[in-house]
């Protein structure tokens, strides 16, 4: 079992920055690929970014590439998402998730943190 708790959300201005954190407890955090997802009102949850267990490999959706940076500190059991140059369309609830293989899917999810970008 892995417990994930997000923090760091809030209100930001267009062009501003926020850093999200995801604190993990339970089974070995450092063995999991981790990801960030988001869900805007009335929309499906969408992939934002992911990072390998070592931090050496990252993937981003084109929507955030060059603006967001995913990172992790395995010694602190914490995942991060640095969000710069925020846009109104980044407004969403952001979730962190742990990828388990098997079964080959994101199997553990946090409760989410709200990010609102105001113009």
């Amino acid at each position: 079992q892995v417990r994930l708790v997000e923090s760091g959300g809030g209100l930001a201005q267009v062009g501003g920055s926020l850093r999200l954190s995801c604190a993990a407890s339970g089974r070995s955090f450092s063995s999991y690929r981790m990801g960030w997802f988001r869900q805007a009102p009335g929309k499906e949850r969408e992939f934002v970014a992911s990072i390998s267990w070592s931090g050496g490999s990252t993937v981003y959706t084109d929507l955030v590439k060059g603006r967001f940076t995913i990172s992790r500190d395995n010694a602190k059991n914490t995942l991060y998402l640095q969000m710069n140059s925020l846009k109104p369309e980044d407004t969403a609830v952001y979730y962190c998730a742990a990828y388990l293989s098997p079964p080959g899917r994101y199997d553990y999810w946090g409760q989410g943190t709200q990010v609102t970008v105001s113009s």
Side-chain angles (χ1 to χ4, degrees), residues 7-21 36 67-70 80-87 90-92 94 113-118:
S7 61
L11 179 64
Q13 298 292 318
V14 170
S17 298
L18 285 173
R19 188 174 84 154
L20 305 184
S21 298
W36 285 100
R67 300 188 298 121
F68 290 10
T69 303
I70 188 171
Y80 302 100
L81 185 68
Q82 178 66 43
M83 306 186 296
N84 299 329
S85 302
L86 284 163
K87 304 176 180 181
D90 294 320
T91 295
Y94 284 72
T113 186
Q114 175 71 47
V115 170
T116 302
V117 183
S118 171

Side-chain angles (χ1 to χ4, degrees), residues 50-119:
S50 67
I51 187 167
S52 62
W53 66 271
S54 67
S57 171
T58 58
V59 179
Y60 297 91
T61 175
D62 286 346
L63 296 173
V64 307
K65 205 171 290 185
R67 300 188 298 121
F68 290 10
T69 303
I70 188 171
S71 62
R72 66 192 297 164
D73 185 337
N74 287 340
K76 295 182 178 179
N77 285 355
T78 304
L79 175 73
Y80 302 100
L81 185 68
Q82 178 66 43
M83 306 186 296
N84 299 329
S85 302
L86 284 163
K87 304 176 180 181
E89 52 264 44
D90 294 320
T91 295
V93 177
Y94 284 72
Y95 300 89
C96 65
Y99 184 90
L100 270 65
S101 182
R105 63 176 182 241
Y106 286 94
D107 230 19
Y108 294 111
W109 294 82
Q111 84 290 347
T113 186
Q114 175 71 47
V115 170
T116 302
V117 183
S118 171
S119 55

